[in-house]
Amino acid sequence: MTDFKLISDDEWRQRLSPEEFHVLRRAGTEPPHIGEYTDTTTEGVYACRACGAELFRSTEKFDSHCGWPSFFSPLAGDRIIERRDTSHGMVRVEVLCAACESHLGHVFEGEGYDTPTDLRYCINSISLTLREE
């Protein structure tokens, strides 16, 4: 089994496209409304594009009209890491894959969406791969 946390930047660059590397390994953000999963309603499991770890289920995906796929809960709390992010003059909570520590997006609370958790996991499409069920 690969310990994804030990993979070098050079190896990640070989495994990922330049755009994937920018978002997943350098905490970039893809432009809004262009990602392949922004408006997808296909049933399945969303996995980390870098390592394949299962992260989110389509049943927890909702339309937030924010320009990126939104989920109200991960598959399990141990699938992701949440950490304080003070970049770009903002205070946010970054979401990373727990298996490989790749950047996925951010989570926001208290925005008033009609979801069971009042959370919005705003995730870059390029960080995910959908496995249809």
Side-chain angles (χ1 to χ4, degrees):
M1 182 173 193
T2 303
D3 186 347
F4 292 101
K5 295 175 186 174
L6 299 178
I7 294 176
S8 69
D9 277 351
D10 287 339
E11 189 172 342
W12 279 121
R13 278 189 177 89
Q14 291 173 16
R15 290 174 177 238
L16 303 169
S17 73
E19 295 83 8
E20 291 167 345
F21 183 83
H22 172 70
V23 173
L24 288 157
R25 304 309 302 171
R26 290 293 177 257
T29 301
E30 67 187 352
H33 304 288
I34 68 156
E36 67 183 303
Y37 302 126
T38 301
D39 299 315
T40 301
T41 58
T42 305
E43 292 185 21
V45 173
Y46 291 87
C48 176
R49 189 165 297 201
C51 73
E54 294 184 345
L55 303 170
F56 299 95
R57 202 169 269 301
S58 61
T59 52
E60 279 71 44
K61 188 174 187 283
F62 71 101
D63 190 359
S64 68
H65 306 286
C66 72
W68 295 274
S70 297
F71 302 87
F72 60 80
S73 179
L75 274 171
D78 64 349
R79 303 289 176 104
I80 60 165
I81 298 167
E82 294 180 11
R83 74 174 172 208
R84 183 179 165 94
D85 175 5
T86 58
S87 64
H88 307 292
M90 298 179 270
V91 178
R92 302 177 290 177
V93 177
E94 181 183 16
V95 179
L96 301 110
C97 173
C100 69
E101 297 182 356
S102 286
H103 173 78
L104 303 171
H106 292 86
V107 61
F108 302 94
E109 183 177 16
E111 295 179 316
Y113 288 102
D114 186 21
T115 62
T117 63
D118 200 23
L119 297 173
R120 177 173 59 98
Y121 287 85
C122 183
I123 307 298
N124 291 285
S125 284
I126 202 167
S127 297
L128 301 171
T129 301
L130 174 60
R131 297 179 183 154
E132 294 183 30
E133 292 183 333

